[in-house]
Amino acid sequence: MSSFSIAGAIFVLVITSVLGNVNAQLSSTFYSTTCPNVTSIVRGVVEQAQQNDIRIGAKLIRVHFHDCFVNGCDGSIMLDNADGIDSEKDAAIASQILVSENGGPTWEVQLGRRDSRTANRAGTTAIPGFNESLDQLSQKFRDAGLDSTDLVALSGAHTFGRARCSTFVHRLYNFSGTGNPDPTIEAGYLETLRQTCPQNGNGDTLNDLDQSTRDAFDNNYFTNLQNNRGLLQTDQVLFSTSGDTVAIVNRFANSQSDFFDSFGQSMINMGNIGVLTGTNGEIRTNCRRVN
């Protein structure tokens, strides 16, 4: 089951429960009357999905992240191509549940968003890329109204999940056109990655984002950065580039509870980007198409 089909199932469950709730604003109790069991319903869907795909937690967080960074958290990433719609493909409750299920924190998800009536494929340039500098990452987060703590905390979602060789192989052999590896990669880790991702090898081969606890949501991601064992360029720059993110990495590496608290708050902050409520947007009867 793909992340899109799971998110679609969740959207359908939610959509059927909120008709008539037009004027409400975001609230963790938004569905307490119209669908009091919404969390348990969604939990059942995602727990079943996780049995079939251990990576589904990381995938759904990524979907939620992509949706929010393009025109706000409005479900636009779900839309198929149609007249006037250039899909962003060519959900927030699920993210919270799966983080919690894998040992991470829980937080009160703010509910009640409306769906957009359009998508913005060109707007996907706002999504941070895997080979960007710290300055580029920080600017994209600032543009979304998020700060350095949000950047580091949300990057901590890479405590579980996988990445393809194609997203980091440039660090192993020819970093920035130098013909040499990225000097910030620890030597032993570099050799391990080169074995998995040989030069001109299969770019689709998957590697653990956190090689120490691959499927657990914990703060080992930040310890890895301190040891120059961050997988993606955008991971390691948080610690290896001078700036305020270094102290935040150290803080989270030293305190898992601090990371968990900040991650939950940053997920709420991200979930509040460009929200449509009330009469703005719509409640789609088919989550992949406008009404």
Side-chain angles (χ1 to χ4, degrees):
M1 193 180 222
S2 72
S3 57
F4 285 114
S5 61
I6 292 168
I10 293 165
F11 268 62
V12 170
L13 289 170
V14 172
I15 287 166
T16 58
S17 72
V18 298
L19 295 176
N21 220 344
V22 175
N23 295 316
Q25 299 298 308
L26 290 188
S27 167
S28 61
T29 59
F30 185 83
Y31 301 121
S32 60
T33 301
T34 55
C35 188
N37 297 322
V38 64
T39 300
S40 61
I41 293 170
V42 175
R43 183 180 298 276
V45 173
V46 297
E47 284 181 346
Q48 181 180 1
Q50 191 170 35
Q51 292 177 7
N52 298 323
D53 183 359
I54 192 64
R55 298 170 56 216
I56 201 63
K59 289 179 179 178
L60 276 179
I61 289 180
R62 192 66 179 167
V63 169
H64 180 43
F65 187 90
H66 280 206
D67 184 36
C68 291
F69 264 72
V70 182
N71 286 13
C73 304
D74 57 6
S76 57
I77 197 170
M78 301 297 297
L79 289 171
D80 289 337
N81 283 321
D83 289 343
I85 295 176
D86 195 9
S87 175
E88 293 164 17
K89 288 185 283 185
D90 283 20
I93 306 177
S95 297
Q96 183 273 319
I97 290 171
L98 283 168
V99 167
S100 178
E101 289 284 312
N102 287 277
T106 186
W107 61 93
E108 287 193 353
V109 179
Q110 302 300 294
L111 306 173
R113 296 167 184 79
R114 264 44 188 178
D115 303 317
S116 68
R117 296 186 176 92
T118 186
N120 181 11
R121 185 176 181 180
T124 57
T125 57
I127 300 171
F130 58 80
N131 60 351
E132 292 185 331
S133 68
L134 180 60
D135 284 344
Q136 290 171 315
L137 291 174
S138 298
Q139 186 61 57
K140 287 186 175 181
F141 271 72
R142 285 194 296 269
D143 290 345
L146 303 176
D147 62 18
S148 294
T149 299
D150 296 315
L151 167 57
V152 179
L154 292 173
S155 295
H158 286 174
T159 182
F160 62 178
R162 315 285 186 268
R164 292 179 173 84
C165 288
S166 59
T167 61
F168 61 86
V169 70
H170 66 287
R171 301 185 67 207
L172 309 183
Y173 302 99
N174 187 27
F175 184 64
S176 298
T178 62
N180 297 310
D182 184 341
T184 66
I185 304 178
E186 188 270 328
Y189 189 43
L190 172 63
E191 291 308 310
T192 298
L193 294 176
R194 281 179 163 178
Q195 291 176 20
T196 307
C197 303
Q199 200 162 16
N200 302 317
N202 183 358
D204 289 332
T205 301
L206 294 174
N207 292 259
D208 298 329
L209 283 162
D210 176 356
Q211 72 278 7
S212 55
T213 50
R214 60 185 299 190
D215 293 321
F217 197 99
D218 54 31
N219 70 332
N220 284 358
Y221 166 83
F222 300 103
T223 305
N224 293 338
L225 300 187
Q226 290 177 322
N227 293 323
N228 292 329
R229 296 173 72 90
L231 184 63
L232 302 182
Q233 177 177 328
T234 47
D235 294 324
Q236 194 58 50
V237 295
L238 300 176
F239 184 76
S240 297
T241 303
S242 298
D244 58 355
T245 59
V246 176
I248 302 170
V249 169
N250 288 333
R251 203 176 88 216
F252 292 163
N254 292 332
S255 174
Q256 181 162 282
S257 62
D258 192 350
F259 166 49
F260 280 9
D261 289 344
S262 296
F263 183 83
Q265 184 58 55
S266 291
M267 287 293 286
I268 293 172
N269 295 344
M270 183 175 71
N272 287 333
I273 299 172
V275 169
L276 301 174
T277 59
T279 58
N280 294 318
E282 65 182 17
I283 301 171
R284 298 185 204 134
T285 55
N286 181 332
C287 63
R288 298 171 62 182
R289 297 176 176 83
V290 296
N291 293 339

